[in-house]
mmCIF file of all heavy atoms in Angstrom:
data_model
loop_
_atom_site.group_PDB
_atom_site.id
_atom_site.type_symbol
_atom_site.label_atom_id
_atom_site.label_comp_id
_atom_site.label_asym_id
_atom_site.label_seq_id
_atom_site.Cartn_x
_atom_site.Cartn_y
_atom_site.Cartn_z
ATOM 1 N N SER A 947 -88.332 -111.019 114.130
ATOM 2 C CA SER A 947 -87.713 -110.669 112.858
ATOM 3 C C SER A 947 -88.631 -109.800 112.027
ATOM 4 O O SER A 947 -88.195 -109.093 111.140
ATOM 5 C CB SER A 947 -87.363 -111.938 112.085
ATOM 6 O OG SER A 947 -88.523 -112.705 111.904
ATOM 7 N N ALA A 948 -89.900 -109.837 112.376
ATOM 8 C CA ALA A 948 -90.846 -109.018 111.607
ATOM 9 C C ALA A 948 -90.465 -107.545 111.719
ATOM 10 O O ALA A 948 -90.390 -106.848 110.715
ATOM 11 C CB ALA A 948 -92.261 -109.245 112.114
ATOM 12 N N SER A 949 -90.232 -107.093 112.940
ATOM 13 C CA SER A 949 -89.959 -105.663 113.071
ATOM 14 C C SER A 949 -88.636 -105.312 112.417
ATOM 15 O O SER A 949 -88.466 -104.212 111.899
ATOM 16 C CB SER A 949 -89.963 -105.271 114.543
ATOM 17 O OG SER A 949 -89.114 -106.144 115.247
ATOM 18 N N GLU A 950 -87.722 -106.266 112.402
ATOM 19 C CA GLU A 950 -86.454 -105.989 111.713
ATOM 20 C C GLU A 950 -86.700 -105.807 110.225
ATOM 21 O O GLU A 950 -86.182 -104.893 109.591
ATOM 22 C CB GLU A 950 -85.503 -107.171 111.914
ATOM 23 C CG GLU A 950 -84.797 -107.144 113.214
ATOM 24 C CD GLU A 950 -83.332 -107.532 113.049
ATOM 25 O OE1 GLU A 950 -82.866 -107.611 111.902
ATOM 26 O OE2 GLU A 950 -82.697 -107.736 114.079
ATOM 27 N N GLU A 951 -87.494 -106.731 109.692
ATOM 28 C CA GLU A 951 -87.789 -106.622 108.264
ATOM 29 C C GLU A 951 -88.473 -105.311 107.963
ATOM 30 O O GLU A 951 -88.192 -104.650 106.969
ATOM 31 C CB GLU A 951 -88.702 -107.771 107.848
ATOM 32 C CG GLU A 951 -87.999 -109.101 107.822
ATOM 33 C CD GLU A 951 -88.942 -110.194 107.370
ATOM 34 O OE1 GLU A 951 -89.798 -109.908 106.518
ATOM 35 O OE2 GLU A 951 -88.808 -111.316 107.870
ATOM 36 N N VAL A 952 -89.400 -104.971 108.887
ATOM 37 C CA VAL A 952 -90.113 -103.727 108.663
ATOM 38 C C VAL A 952 -89.139 -102.561 108.606
ATOM 39 O O VAL A 952 -89.207 -101.709 107.721
ATOM 40 C CB VAL A 952 -91.151 -103.490 109.780
ATOM 41 C CG1 VAL A 952 -91.733 -102.092 109.660
ATOM 42 C CG2 VAL A 952 -92.265 -104.512 109.682
ATOM 43 N N ARG A 953 -88.205 -102.571 109.521
ATOM 44 C CA ARG A 953 -87.253 -101.462 109.532
ATOM 45 C C ARG A 953 -86.415 -101.441 108.272
ATOM 46 O O ARG A 953 -86.104 -100.393 107.708
ATOM 47 C CB ARG A 953 -86.357 -101.546 110.764
ATOM 48 C CG ARG A 953 -86.700 -100.444 111.772
ATOM 49 C CD ARG A 953 -85.927 -100.569 113.050
ATOM 50 N NE ARG A 953 -86.486 -101.575 113.941
ATOM 51 C CZ ARG A 953 -85.739 -102.501 114.542
ATOM 52 N NH1 ARG A 953 -84.452 -102.545 114.382
ATOM 53 N NH2 ARG A 953 -86.321 -103.406 115.323
ATOM 54 N N GLU A 954 -86.088 -102.663 107.832
ATOM 55 C CA GLU A 954 -85.299 -102.749 106.594
ATOM 56 C C GLU A 954 -86.074 -102.149 105.438
ATOM 57 O O GLU A 954 -85.564 -101.357 104.646
ATOM 58 C CB GLU A 954 -85.017 -104.218 106.333
ATOM 59 C CG GLU A 954 -83.714 -104.480 105.631
ATOM 60 C CD GLU A 954 -83.611 -105.960 105.307
ATOM 61 O OE1 GLU A 954 -83.432 -106.740 106.265
ATOM 62 O OE2 GLU A 954 -83.761 -106.308 104.129
ATOM 63 N N LEU A 955 -87.343 -102.557 105.394
ATOM 64 C CA LEU A 955 -88.166 -102.045 104.313
ATOM 65 C C LEU A 955 -88.348 -100.536 104.419
ATOM 66 O O LEU A 955 -88.361 -99.824 103.421
ATOM 67 C CB LEU A 955 -89.541 -102.718 104.347
ATOM 68 C CG LEU A 955 -89.551 -104.168 103.859
ATOM 69 C CD1 LEU A 955 -90.883 -104.810 104.182
ATOM 70 C CD2 LEU A 955 -89.290 -104.220 102.385
ATOM 71 N N GLU A 956 -88.493 -100.097 105.642
ATOM 72 C CA GLU A 956 -88.612 -98.648 105.844
ATOM 73 C C GLU A 956 -87.434 -97.934 105.220
ATOM 74 O O GLU A 956 -87.574 -96.929 104.549
ATOM 75 C CB GLU A 956 -88.621 -98.338 107.343
ATOM 76 C CG GLU A 956 -89.988 -98.144 107.943
ATOM 77 C CD GLU A 956 -89.896 -97.719 109.397
ATOM 78 O OE1 GLU A 956 -89.579 -96.561 109.662
ATOM 79 O OE2 GLU A 956 -90.114 -98.597 110.255
ATOM 80 N N GLY A 957 -86.285 -98.502 105.508
ATOM 81 C CA GLY A 957 -85.086 -97.870 104.995
ATOM 82 C C GLY A 957 -85.038 -97.905 103.475
ATOM 83 O O GLY A 957 -84.727 -96.918 102.821
ATOM 84 N N LYS A 958 -85.416 -99.048 102.930
ATOM 85 C CA LYS A 958 -85.289 -99.181 101.478
ATOM 86 C C LYS A 958 -86.298 -98.345 100.731
ATOM 87 O O LYS A 958 -86.007 -97.740 99.721
ATOM 88 C CB LYS A 958 -85.510 -100.651 101.094
ATOM 89 C CG LYS A 958 -84.266 -101.472 101.121
ATOM 90 C CD LYS A 958 -84.466 -102.740 100.310
ATOM 91 C CE LYS A 958 -83.613 -103.859 100.919
ATOM 92 N NZ LYS A 958 -84.015 -105.166 100.518
ATOM 93 N N THR A 959 -87.518 -98.374 101.220
ATOM 94 C CA THR A 959 -88.563 -97.754 100.412
ATOM 95 C C THR A 959 -89.021 -96.408 100.941
ATOM 96 O O THR A 959 -89.655 -95.661 100.246
ATOM 97 C CB THR A 959 -89.814 -98.648 100.354
ATOM 98 O OG1 THR A 959 -90.242 -98.878 101.685
ATOM 99 C CG2 THR A 959 -89.505 -99.949 99.674
ATOM 100 N N GLY A 960 -88.697 -96.123 102.190
ATOM 101 C CA GLY A 960 -89.075 -94.814 102.698
ATOM 102 C C GLY A 960 -90.482 -94.730 103.252
ATOM 103 O O GLY A 960 -90.955 -93.660 103.603
ATOM 104 N N PHE A 961 -91.176 -95.822 103.351
ATOM 105 C CA PHE A 961 -92.500 -95.768 103.963
ATOM 106 C C PHE A 961 -92.353 -95.831 105.473
ATOM 107 O O PHE A 961 -91.385 -96.371 105.991
ATOM 108 C CB PHE A 961 -93.335 -96.973 103.515
ATOM 109 C CG PHE A 961 -93.921 -96.828 102.144
ATOM 110 C CD1 PHE A 961 -93.525 -97.670 101.125
ATOM 111 C CD2 PHE A 961 -94.868 -95.866 101.872
ATOM 112 C CE1 PHE A 961 -94.067 -97.549 99.867
ATOM 113 C CE2 PHE A 961 -95.409 -95.739 100.619
ATOM 114 C CZ PHE A 961 -95.006 -96.588 99.610
ATOM 115 N N SER A 962 -93.359 -95.350 106.146
ATOM 116 C CA SER A 962 -93.330 -95.484 107.604
ATOM 117 C C SER A 962 -93.869 -96.862 107.973
ATOM 118 O O SER A 962 -94.480 -97.543 107.150
ATOM 119 C CB SER A 962 -94.206 -94.409 108.235
ATOM 120 O OG SER A 962 -95.555 -94.752 108.042
ATOM 121 N N SER A 963 -93.652 -97.246 109.210
ATOM 122 C CA SER A 963 -94.045 -98.619 109.565
ATOM 123 C C SER A 963 -95.556 -98.793 109.535
ATOM 124 O O SER A 963 -96.063 -99.861 109.207
ATOM 125 C CB SER A 963 -93.491 -99.000 110.936
ATOM 126 O OG SER A 963 -93.856 -98.039 111.881
ATOM 127 N N ASP A 964 -96.288 -97.728 109.844
ATOM 128 C CA ASP A 964 -97.752 -97.833 109.733
ATOM 129 C C ASP A 964 -98.163 -98.098 108.303
ATOM 130 O O ASP A 964 -99.009 -98.948 108.023
ATOM 131 C CB ASP A 964 -98.409 -96.517 110.162
ATOM 132 C CG ASP A 964 -98.349 -96.355 111.658
ATOM 133 O OD1 ASP A 964 -98.273 -97.400 112.345
ATOM 134 O OD2 ASP A 964 -98.360 -95.214 112.114
#
Side-chain angles (χ1 to χ4, degrees):
Chain A
S947 57
S949 51
E950 279 222 11
E951 288 181 35
V952 171
R953 251 175 280 133
E954 211 185 289
L955 286 169
E956 262 185 75
K958 272 199 211 162
T959 57
F961 281 115
S962 74
S963 53
D964 286 334

